Amino acid sequence: MHADLSRLTHRPERHYSGVVAQQGRVQLDADANEQTAIQLFQARTLAADLIGRHGGPSDANGFKIDLKGSSGTLDDLIIGGGRYYVDGILLDATRPQPGEAVSAAGAAGEERSEQGEAGEHDAEAAAEPDAPPATWTYWDQPDGFRDPERPEDRLPSEFPYLAYLKVWERLVTAAEDPALREVALGSALPDTAARTKVVWQVLPLPGTALGLEGDNPPVSEIRKAFDTWAQQQSAPRSRLAARSERPDHADDDPCLVRPDARYRGPENQLYRVEVHDGGDAKTATFKWSRENGSVTFPVDELDGTWVELATLGGDDKLDLNVGDRVEFVDTAATSRGEALPLLRVEELDLPGRRVRLSDEPAGGAGRRPELHPYLRRWDHREGGARQTVRRGGRDGRLRHGALPVEEGGWLPLEDGVEVYFAAGGSYRTGDYWLIPARTATGSVEWPTDAARRPLLRHPAGIAVHFAPLAWVHGEQTVPDLRLAFRPLAADIPAADDAAVAAEEQARDEETYGETGEPGGLGTQGGPAAPPASRSQTTAAAEAAVDRADGAADGGPGEAGGVG
């Protein structure tokens, strides 16, 4: 989460069940966020334990997939409405319908002739837009942002392929959703709380990627092959460690912190190290921010390389300067998880709230104002006192504006903070680690072993979840791979348990008699059926009675029946 946080303290392995506020104490954002995280973890764990890895309610099961093909247009998938759970995370595919606007003819106090009213109604009917569809599709799903002009976004042209769900969470701030800002606080004050959003995307997976033979393998084999693929995609394959060492320039400002401090920054920070370009160590890059990547600037207008911003920041710590690296993104680029090139701030126009970037934004970002484009500042630079260069390593030149990953050695960030990438890692765009740095201790908060050696940790996110939906292998042939569960609630019985038990006992006595034999017959009447248990349901007791009657009458298959 690119939020302005002090730190994240939720640790599921510690088994905390709640946060207890104490009187007279300072209230921290970390405490409130941990309480939310605990409740969310408990709720999703419970849902996953009861439902399984994925499933939907039988009476409102969502994400039913139907193929909509046409010879003149691109293939499309219809996504049925309803709810579905993936690893305990609730998803809703119900498409909201727009409200009804007040018509111009509804103005009170106007006297219109019948002819005039008819003309107005005709004009309104002609001006009304077409009603939106009742369901989502592959091309217009809310967080998919699929582009028909991109061949990689189109559905596979060859069958079969699997339609599946990709689920993850991301942060939304007022820079992306202006409705989160309380305008009564004034434009000079910062925004308040941010939001986390569940993102779901219906995507295709070619059948060849699953290693299945034939066009229509059994459903059990499809699910098993997909589970194996999903585990490979979601398993973390990179590790990082962090530490603080006394930097070379520690004596430049001896009055700021203790002389023996290893972290020499003048303020508490939450460093974020995030993978930019994914891949192995040869191709992967990373970026870092001392503010958890939370410094953003909403874009009002884009004109080539000139960008007009809604604000240039609140102070000299949260503003833009020439040489800063920025990421130009919008809602579509963020939801797609794209790694767009990081741009350099070349020039500032303070009166006009404009900045000139080193290049035009890539990927179409900023061209659609409804997608709320914004700049995100990162704090690494190429050259200068704060350049990230491995000791004795390469010259640290940037690739696409980001720093190359170098494994097996400590990489300094700034003010004594260093990171270490473990060898043999495989990196995914968006994976990140958080490193709190504190002036009170002159160090960073990072787990260590008994010898005080930093421990290697997997990324804190992004956690991605998957679920299969349908196996598509032609028109009108879309086998459903979803799972369903029934509600636990049932009808209340007409009588209490004691009355039901008494009725079953009376029925047993009437059927077997005091001798325990069917119809009061002795051994000559056939084998005695066992008396019905009181725990049997009414249907089971009636079935036992029928079997006993059949035995007494010498029915087929009953030994010792009456001749």
Side-chain angles (χ1 to χ4, degrees), residues 483-496:
L483 299 176
F485 59 88
R486 297 178 180 177
L488 297 176
D491 293 335
I492 299 177
D496 57 19

Side-chain angles (χ1 to χ4, degrees), residues 462-474:
I462 303 173
V464 184
H465 311 266
F466 302 94
L469 295 177
W471 181 254
V472 184
H473 60 88

Side-chain angles (χ1 to χ4, degrees), residues 391-414:
R391 296 190 183 104
R394 299 193 295 256
D395 59 3
R397 279 182 284 180
L398 306 182
R399 292 204 301 259
H400 302 145
L403 298 156
V405 168
E406 297 186 24
E407 297 179 336
W410 288 99
L411 306 176
L413 302 187
E414 67 173 6

Side-chain angles (χ1 to χ4, degrees), residues 95-359:
R95 183 162 189 158
Q97 298 299 304
E100 183 179 356
V102 176
S103 63
E110 283 191 37
E111 295 183 358
R112 296 180 294 270
S113 64
E114 293 183 0
Q115 181 178 2
E117 290 180 358
E120 289 181 3
H121 287 312
D122 293 341
E124 289 178 5
E128 287 184 1
D130 296 335
T135 58
W136 297 108
T137 68
Y138 171 78
W139 290 111
D140 69 358
Q141 53 183 307
D143 295 309
F145 298 100
R146 304 291 98 183
D147 186 356
E149 300 297 327
R150 296 186 179 187
E152 63 272 18
D153 283 355
R154 299 172 186 172
L155 293 171
S157 58
E158 296 182 1
F159 299 114
Y161 62 86
L162 187 144
Y164 70 95
L165 267 173
K166 178 182 178 182
V167 182
W168 54 291
E169 285 185 299
R170 69 180 187 89
L171 189 84
V172 178
T173 65
E176 193 173 350
D177 185 1
L180 297 180
R181 184 182 298 275
E182 175 53 77
V183 296
L185 297 177
S187 59
L189 293 179
D191 57 351
T192 55
R195 305 293 188 271
T196 54
K197 177 181 180 179
V198 173
V199 177
W200 60 260
Q201 297 171 337
V202 175
L203 302 174
L205 179 66
T208 55
L210 298 176
L212 296 173
E213 298 181 358
D215 292 344
N216 192 19
V219 170
S220 59
E221 292 187 9
I222 298 175
R223 289 196 177 116
K224 183 178 180 180
F226 179 81
D227 289 344
T228 302
W229 176 86
Q231 291 174 4
Q232 295 174 350
Q233 298 299 312
S234 58
R237 289 166 288 180
S238 59
R239 295 182 299 169
L240 177 139
R243 71 179 185 183
S244 54
E245 291 291 321
R246 195 168 190 269
D248 296 335
H249 62 282
D251 297 328
D252 294 346
D253 298 306
C255 298
L256 292 179
V257 292
R258 300 196 318 267
D260 60 342
R262 293 165 292 154
Y263 168 61
R264 298 286 295 184
E267 296 180 354
N268 299 319
Q269 304 289 356
L270 181 60
Y271 286 91
R272 182 188 187 94
V273 177
E274 181 175 319
V275 177
H276 188 66
D277 294 298
D280 57 17
K282 296 180 180 179
T283 59
T285 60
F286 74 99
K287 53 203 174 187
W288 62 265
S289 165
R290 67 180 69 94
E291 305 285 351
N292 190 29
S294 64
V295 181
T296 57
F297 306 89
V299 173
D300 284 346
E301 186 177 353
L302 173 64
D303 183 11
T305 59
W306 279 98
V307 183
E308 182 179 340
L309 305 175
T311 177
L312 285 176
D315 53 41
D316 58 351
K317 300 293 184 182
L318 304 176
D319 60 2
L320 284 175
N321 294 286
V322 173
D324 286 343
R325 289 285 168 175
V326 294
E327 188 176 10
F328 199 119
V329 293
D330 56 16
T331 300
T334 303
S335 296
R336 292 173 62 94
E338 294 179 327
L340 302 179
L342 301 180
L343 306 177
R344 184 179 185 273
V345 176
E346 301 287 351
E347 187 178 350
L348 292 174
D349 177 15
L350 298 180
R353 299 197 315 274
R354 299 193 308 160
V355 297
R356 183 172 64 84
L357 304 178
S358 57
D359 200 355

Side-chain angles (χ1 to χ4, degrees), residues 63-68 76-81 135-138:
F63 295 93
K64 184 179 185 302
I65 299 299
D66 290 307
L67 177 63
K68 181 182 179 183
D76 201 356
L77 297 176
I78 299 175
I79 305 171
T135 58
W136 297 108
T137 68
Y138 171 78

